[in-house]
Amino acid sequence: MTSTEVNNDLNITTERPPFFAEVDELPPFLKQKYVPSLDGFRAFSIILVLIAHISYNYNNDTLAKYGTFGVNVFFVISGFLITSLLIKEKVTYKSVSLRNFYIRRFLRILPVAYLFLAVLFALNFIFKLNLSAASFLRPLFFVENFGDHSTYTLAGHFWSLSVEEQFYLIFPFLIARSLKNYIITAIALIPGILVITYVYFHLHTQLLLVDFVLNVIYHLLGNGISIILIGSLAAIFLCKYEHLFILKSKYIALFQILLMALSFFFFNHRLFMNINSTISALFIALTIIYTIVNKDGFIFQILNNKYVRYLGTLSYSIYIWQELFTFKQPWANLPYGNSVVLNLILLAVTAVASYHLYEKYFLKLKARFSTVK
């Protein structure tokens, strides 16, 4: 597809911005069966989440806040990968099967998430945790991000899964129908979300209906959707302009370290209207892009080390189960029940067993509905 379109009736040639055009050819990074480095970033993210949740036990706010940074990395990866795969399917088959997309998402996310809730339900009786019905219903229907987290529920980490599921309900439709409309929507939404966030936290109207609407819009859009959209736009940009991100090998590692340092810097500084998280996510996205495209340097080697990749493969399993082992363990009153080392070992065993003995069955089913490899 060219960047110009000709109106035959009026003999007028109009410029069409290439970034808004459909992708009609697979970029080199999507011709691979496996997108490199993403599992390495997942490993990095889950380590940050574990450190943050463990640090709550020691009231270490400095370390605790990096759990949110780790989740933001997950969000960027999620938006990047989902968008890349949808574009790959659309280019390869000239259409997107939303039915197969939702079946794949269902088989990847729901089985282990619901197993966790079933186990938590049993632990609630065994250890008399006195968890409310809402503590189960919100994560069950993936609306945990609408909940009041003043009381810890042991399923509070489902807020991020809820954000992702709500993203999946809306945005793949736009990508499947028109990449141009999706890009316009995403670019318009990101600053809009920042405004909504500011209004939600600073300008309560005292009008119940208005506050209710603001509350709904904020929880639908303000808790991570903008971060996922940044990852999604990064995938689109890389699909169109991959050649712009190729660096000479001797500069790659230095540049990647600089990008990650900048993402930490902006994450740590509260700017007007909470734009720090958005700027941080931009640098996270750029770091991911440069690491995918440039395969030289020690950072690429670390992220693609087989042990690091395996940890990344287990990251979703670890994320689902970690809440039981890292903070306010149900068995904390038992001997060694709150031992960090023992609980981390139990978490590792649980995650490995969950993945290999349970989740892999559903992953094999999921593979049947994969249209692109």
Side-chain angles (χ1 to χ4, degrees):
M1 182 174 293
T2 64
S3 60
T4 62
E5 294 180 341
V6 178
N7 186 317
N8 292 325
D9 294 329
L10 300 176
N11 292 322
I12 297 174
T13 301
T14 57
E15 292 292 330
R16 182 179 182 185
F19 185 56
F20 292 98
E22 295 290 331
V23 177
D24 55 9
E25 183 180 354
L26 284 182
F29 88 96
L30 279 184
K31 293 179 181 178
Q32 309 169 83
K33 289 185 177 180
Y34 170 82
V35 179
S37 302
L38 291 187
D39 277 334
F41 279 108
R42 290 189 184 102
F44 169 73
S45 303
I46 196 62
I47 289 171
L48 286 179
V49 170
L50 291 177
I51 291 173
H53 285 189
I54 291 170
S55 70
Y56 282 122
N57 293 325
Y58 302 96
N59 297 316
N60 190 327
D61 293 335
T62 301
L63 290 177
K65 66 182 178 181
Y66 284 111
T68 303
F69 183 85
V71 171
N72 284 350
V73 176
F74 274 125
F75 280 156
V76 173
I77 292 172
S78 181
F80 182 91
L81 186 58
I82 290 300
T83 304
S84 298
L85 293 177
L86 288 173
I87 289 175
K88 186 174 184 178
E89 181 177 350
K90 195 171 184 179
V91 171
T92 305
Y93 299 103
K94 308 307 178 186
S95 65
V96 172
S97 172
L98 290 172
R99 169 185 172 272
N100 287 349
F101 171 81
Y102 287 114
I103 291 174
R104 292 194 301 269
R105 289 297 86 200
F106 174 91
L107 290 172
R108 182 64 191 109
I109 293 175
L110 269 63
V112 68
Y114 284 168
L115 177 62
F116 171 85
L117 292 176
V119 170
L120 183 60
F121 187 77
L123 293 174
N124 189 41
F125 285 98
I126 295 171
F127 292 100
K128 298 179 172 57
L129 302 177
N130 298 317
L131 298 178
S132 66
S135 300
F136 295 95
L137 292 175
R138 287 198 306 265
L140 184 70
F141 294 104
F142 290 95
V143 290
E144 182 64 27
N145 55 325
F146 283 84
D148 175 14
H149 296 135
S150 58
T151 302
Y152 204 74
T153 65
L154 287 174
H157 59 309
F158 272 59
W159 78 267
S160 61
L161 301 181
S162 300
V163 169
E164 291 205 14
E165 288 299 286
Q166 289 155 23
F167 175 85
Y168 297 148
L169 284 175
I170 302 170
F171 293 95
F173 282 97
L174 292 173
I175 296 175
R177 289 181 63 85
S178 169
L179 200 59
K180 176 182 177 181
N181 290 342
Y182 176 77
I183 294 170
I184 292 172
T185 302
I187 291 174
L189 271 179
I190 291 171
I193 289 170
L194 296 176
V195 173
I196 291 167
T197 301
Y198 179 79
V199 172
Y200 177 80
F201 281 110
H202 296 90
L203 300 177
H204 293 292
T205 64
Q206 305 303 318
L207 299 174
L208 291 180
L209 179 59
V210 175
D211 282 347
F212 172 77
V213 171
L214 280 175
N215 184 65
V216 170
I217 294 174
Y218 166 72
H219 283 92
L220 277 175
L221 298 177
N223 264 353
I225 291 291
S226 61
I227 308 300
I228 299 175
L229 285 172
I230 287 171
S232 183
L233 289 174
I236 295 169
F237 204 87
L238 186 58
C239 283
K240 293 173 178 292
Y241 308 115
E242 182 171 347
H243 63 282
L244 296 179
F245 297 97
I246 298 174
L247 294 175
K248 293 182 179 179
S249 59
K250 64 180 180 180
Y251 299 118
I252 292 172
L254 180 62
F255 192 66
Q256 290 165 343
I257 291 171
L258 175 63
L259 289 173
M260 188 55 70
L262 287 170
S263 65
F264 270 102
F265 173 81
F266 282 103
F267 180 80
N268 273 311
H269 287 76
R270 297 192 62 81
L271 304 177
F272 181 62
M273 292 171 56
N274 296 320
I275 63 171
N276 54 319
S277 289
T278 304
I279 296 174
S280 175
L282 287 170
F283 285 112
I284 292 170
L286 284 172
T287 307
I288 291 172
I289 286 175
Y290 276 103
T291 308
I292 289 173
V293 174
N294 299 283
K295 297 180 174 60
D296 295 322
F298 69 92
I299 292 180
F300 182 88
Q301 298 302 319
I302 291 171
L303 291 174
N304 292 278
N305 174 275
K306 64 179 182 179
Y307 300 109
V308 175
R309 282 180 56 179
Y310 182 65
L311 179 60
T313 301
L314 292 178
S315 60
Y316 178 60
S317 310
I318 296 171
Y319 186 76
I320 288 292
W321 295 104
Q322 51 81 30
E323 209 83 347
L324 293 175
F325 299 93
T326 57
F327 184 58
K328 291 190 176 180
Q329 298 88 348
W331 44 80
N333 292 328
L334 298 177
Y336 305 105
N338 61 355
S339 165
V340 172
V341 174
L342 180 59
N343 276 290
L344 285 178
I345 293 172
L346 291 174
L347 171 59
V349 171
T350 302
V352 169
S354 174
Y355 180 77
H356 288 283
L357 302 179
Y358 179 72
E359 295 169 56
K360 269 195 168 182
Y361 171 77
F362 297 98
L363 291 175
K364 289 178 181 178
L365 289 179
K366 173 177 172 282
R368 298 179 186 178
F369 298 93
S370 295
T371 52
V372 292
K373 304 297 183 181

